[in-house]
Amino acid sequence: MALVSISSATARLQGQVLQPQPKALETPLALQLVFARRGCSSLQQLCRNSNGNAHGSFKKVGRTNVFIHATLAGVIQQEENKSSKATLPCGETWSIHKFGGTCVGTYERIQNVAKIVVDDPSLRKVVVVSAMSKVTDMLYSMLEKAQSRRNDHVDALDLIFQKHKETATALLGEGDDLSKLLSNLEEDTHNLRAMLRAIYIAGHVTESFSDFVVGHGELWSAQMLAAAVRKRGLSCVWMDTREVLVVNPTSLNQVDPDFEASENKLLKWYTDHPADTIIATGFIASTSENVPTTLKRDGSDFSAAILGALFRAKNVTIWTDVDGVYSADPRKVQEAVVLESLSYQEAWELSYFGANVLHPRTTIPVMKYDIPVTIRNVFNISAPGTKICRFPATESGQNDSLSFRAADLLVKGFATIDNLALVNVEGTGMAGVPGTASDIFATVKEVGANVVMISQASSEHSVCFAVPEKEVMQVANALEKKFRVALEVGRLSRIEVVHDCCVLAAVGQRMASTPGVSATLFGALAKANINVRAIAQGCSEYNITVVVNQEDSVRALNAVHSRFYLSRTSLAVGIIGPGLIGGTLLEQLREQAATLKEDFKIDLRVLGIMGSRSMILNNLGLDLSQWRQQLAEKGENADLERFTTHMHSNHSIPNTVIVDCTANAEVAGKYYQWLKRGIHIVTPNKRANSGPLNRYLQLRELQRQSYTHYFYEATVGAGLPIISTLRGFLETGDKIQRIEGIFSGTLSYIFNNLSEGKTFSQIVSEAKAAGYTEPDPRDDLSGLDVARKVIILARESGLRLELDDIRVQSLVPEPLQACSSADEFMEKLSDYDHEISTKRDEANLAGEVLRYVGLVDVLGNTGSVELRRYPSTHPFAQLSGSDNIISFTTARYQKQPLIVRGPGAGADVTAGGVFSDMLRLASYLGAPS
């Protein structure tokens, strides 16, 4: 063999093409690759390792040692021979793709996946594929039938075989690939038939048998996809990952990857199957004893992550049927958004709590090498998806180039685990006693129950934890047996089970460094009237976990989601009384809905409208441009109880308000029940606040004790800020002395127009014709409506009066109170004009005017409604039309009372007042001011 320059030989080993150098060993660095491969640090050691002795000789040529023995040339030749075989190129030239079962559920979808693989610009790629949709379930079901000695297990296998045969035929047409694939499919099916027969006879299936059988779904889908890719002109091979991935089963129904063994097997596999595109089976692997096994259910994501780590890939893409990771389950939260990014820890937390993110252990292999994982939609490849990577250090000013908008969010997402139960173990004997908690959870472990969450008070007086509802009674019985003596002697007071619970988790890596996140979370739940049963939070603050009632699960999820940055403040609105005021309100809502959504982030969604005879209900929201037509054509019989149930339970919006636009006492009688159930109330109906004093006090006390709101500004001044002004005085420490005002738009109109030349009955007729009065004007003239407003203001001022305590001067002549109809009353009213005319003339002679007013004398603890005279210079004498005016005399406003004046009647202003209360409610619930 000719002596070859070592620098030239080692260059060839590195894949470089260099010409032989005239001087050997001029660059000592050139020897490093040979030394590294042979485990040597010097030429002498290389010689010994190669020949078993040190018979090689050296000559000194200048300053360079030249190896003149043929040993080195032989070593170099061996290394060159090795380099001629395929070696595994690891690093960023590789991309990993994983396609789930829905992505390859039909031959059309497999074709789509093949196109994505071929179009991917990556230099090298590994494509991990799951079994076709539902096939794994079919295989498990087939095993169960065989084990149960059911003869139809054979039919199940035939059905699976036929499904794959038809898919392969439609996918590939004719050719060698199809023939080879169908041959493999028939051989596998023949072997499975024999195995199923053995299982049928034994009536039992081992775990290794089960894992071997159910892994065939991935074997077949990988072969079909590989054939489809080759048909598109891209050379590829398929990998049975049982030949590569080595895992060690654990006692937790999980497996741990053996990366060292897997790496060695991968090197050997790649030497025999060199390729730039590899179609690999997901889900399946082998044990260290070469026994087929699986990565357990949903393990294909895990397969992709492990292969990503083995190849040191640039990225891993998980293709699924959604656009990425959502901020909450979009089936429960309509406003859920796709997150731009997540940290590894956030992804793990969300997946643990049931979010459709990744297999919970998928992030572990990729985290070691900082390999990002992207979740993308195979049916919407234009969507960028969600990137999962190491959390960018934007807070410290580092890695600014890695920052992305989603990193600025405090809470990335919310998830729930439903159908749980809480177990609470408490007793004073637990405090300071080592080992109690250990005994509790050792007992739970013996039962085999899964503990989802643990919470313990710092006093050690109690420990509570959440387990699946189906396991709770077994856990409770085991604990009672374990602690029987402690319960009997009183060291433990009780073991309590709370059924029908749900765990809600808020996840975000930046929560740890931001004050107030917990307060915001609990505030949102409280405002939605949702009770928190238990709380758990680690010091890392990656997640805050609360337990709520199962019936509140969806509402709680929507409440916290809407309270944070993720969506609008939504209100489910039910309107009772779509008459003049209610109908006008609905029209105002329709006109303003888009502006409220876009500019103020408020979504007022009308889910129900109920009239006196019919009602319409909708879980998503009624079309307010057609509500009259829908009520007439599709309305069902009015039922107040059913309406209430619908507004409370039949939707996912966290906050509900019922707007009562009636004057009905029966509807007002439901207010206490609604507030108790967490339903907010907005109303112009005066019945509740002017009814029995004890009912009014109960409503106000319940409102103070809860986060449920009750707004009734429109009960007194329509659209005028009367109640809010009064409360402003009281809340700032002012003392109300007297409230006096013209509270009736109807009576304001009548006395503003009662001039010489017109009689009282004529003005009343004009007001009735103009629509200012009730259909029966006696309802206005009796003064009862004004009296209700007076009693409301009196009670708001702190007076404990009943409606009967208000002195009322009725303007209905006593003989006419018994008239059988409004028409009869109007016909006879002129007979009594002289009474009002006389009072008017007397007032005019004194330079005064008549006004019908309500009065609250707080200092005198009285209230009244009467016809009074005022000087022509008094503010009450300056009114026109149907305006109202109210005067507040307080400790701060004694010499010059505060005056509130404006329209106090009419559908537009009253509906506007109700609308304003609804927006005030939205603001209280978190909408931006």
Side-chain angles (χ1 to χ4, degrees), residues 369-442:
Y369 300 103
D370 279 347
I371 301 171
V373 179
T374 304
I375 312 297
R376 294 189 63 187
N377 190 346
V378 72
F379 306 116
N380 182 20
I381 59 176
S382 62
T386 301
K387 184 177 182 180
I388 300 170
C389 58
R390 193 167 297 282
F391 188 67
T394 52
E395 293 85 359
S396 63
Q398 301 174 355
N399 296 338
D400 288 337
S401 62
L402 297 178
S403 64
F404 26 75
R405 184 168 62 247
D408 297 330
L409 304 176
L410 298 179
V411 180
K412 288 293 187 67
F414 302 90
T416 58
I417 303 178
D418 294 328
N419 302 315
L420 300 176
L422 269 184
V423 179
N424 183 42
V425 182
E426 70 176 62
T428 54
M430 293 174 59
V433 179
T436 304
S438 174
D439 290 342
I440 291 172
F441 293 110

Side-chain angles (χ1 to χ4, degrees), residues 65-87:
N65 286 325
V66 180
F67 185 31
I68 61 173
H69 195 278
T71 301
L72 182 55
V75 170
I76 293 173
Q77 187 63 53
Q78 291 172 21
E79 294 298 328
E80 287 188 311
N81 291 339
K82 287 183 180 179
S83 68
S84 67
K85 295 183 179 180
T87 57

Side-chain angles (χ1 to χ4, degrees), residues 596-669:
L596 288 174
K597 282 184 180 181
E598 296 304 318
D599 297 344
F600 299 95
K601 304 303 180 187
I602 298 173
D603 183 6
L604 301 178
R605 210 174 303 169
V606 178
L607 304 188
I609 300 173
M610 189 177 84
S612 58
R613 294 185 177 85
S614 62
M615 65 182 183
I616 47 174
L617 308 174
N618 189 291
N619 292 339
L620 300 178
L622 294 165
D623 181 356
L624 295 187
S625 65
Q626 301 182 25
W627 70 267
R628 293 184 190 275
Q629 180 182 350
Q630 291 178 7
L631 187 62
E633 296 176 0
K634 300 180 181 180
E636 54 187 285
N637 291 335
D639 184 332
L640 190 55
E641 286 301 323
R642 185 159 182 271
F643 184 87
T644 300
T645 300
H646 169 76
M647 293 306 305
H648 181 257
S649 307
N650 292 359
H651 59 86
S652 61
I653 300 174
N655 298 293
T656 298
V657 58
I658 290 180
V659 182
D660 174 20
C661 293
T662 72
N664 189 288
E666 180 186 356
V667 176

Side-chain angles (χ1 to χ4, degrees), residues 285-446:
S286 293
T287 68
S288 55
E289 291 81 22
N290 286 324
V291 176
T293 187
T294 70
L295 301 183
K296 310 312 171 188
R297 294 304 292 263
D298 301 318
S300 291
D301 290 350
F302 200 19
S303 300
I306 296 170
L307 288 170
L310 292 175
F311 280 91
R312 311 294 192 268
K314 180 181 180 180
N315 53 57
V316 174
T317 302
I318 306 293
W319 294 88
T320 180
D321 56 357
V322 293
D323 284 346
V325 180
Y326 282 83
S327 53
D329 188 340
R331 294 169 297 183
K332 299 178 180 178
V333 180
Q334 288 186 341
E335 288 81 11
V337 298
V338 176
L339 297 173
E340 190 176 340
S341 65
L342 288 170
S343 71
Y344 293 123
Q345 290 83 356
E346 289 167 337
W348 191 93
E349 294 281 356
L350 284 172
S351 63
Y352 174 80
F353 287 102
N356 186 20
V357 183
L358 292 171
H359 184 282
R361 304 184 70 201
T362 298
T363 57
I364 298 173
V366 295
M367 282 179 67
K368 182 177 180 181
Y369 300 103
D370 279 347
I371 301 171
V373 179
T374 304
I375 312 297
R376 294 189 63 187
N377 190 346
V378 72
F379 306 116
N380 182 20
I381 59 176
S382 62
T386 301
K387 184 177 182 180
I388 300 170
C389 58
R390 193 167 297 282
F391 188 67
T394 52
E395 293 85 359
S396 63
Q398 301 174 355
N399 296 338
D400 288 337
S401 62
L402 297 178
S403 64
F404 26 75
R405 184 168 62 247
D408 297 330
L409 304 176
L410 298 179
V411 180
K412 288 293 187 67
F414 302 90
T416 58
I417 303 178
D418 294 328
N419 302 315
L420 300 176
L422 269 184
V423 179
N424 183 42
V425 182
E426 70 176 62
T428 54
M430 293 174 59
V433 179
T436 304
S438 174
D439 290 342
I440 291 172
F441 293 110
T443 304
V444 176
K445 180 182 178 182
E446 290 174 4

Side-chain angles (χ1 to χ4, degrees), residues 43 134 146 187 239 320 345 355 395 439 566 590 593 603 717 813:
L43 288 173
K134 306 298 181 184
E187 182 181 351
M239 173 194 287
T320 180
Q345 290 83 356
E395 293 85 359
D439 290 342
L566 299 170
R590 183 190 65 78
D603 183 6

Side-chain angles (χ1 to χ4, degrees), residues 708-740:
T708 310
H709 298 284
Y710 173 35
F711 291 108
Y712 43 87
E713 182 73 76
T715 57
V716 175
L720 297 179
I722 307 302
I723 300 292
S724 56
T725 300
L726 174 55
R727 285 190 176 173
F729 287 136
L730 297 173
E731 290 168 359
T732 58
D734 203 352
K735 305 296 182 184
I736 305 296
Q737 296 178 357
R738 181 185 180 92
I739 303 173
E740 188 175 5

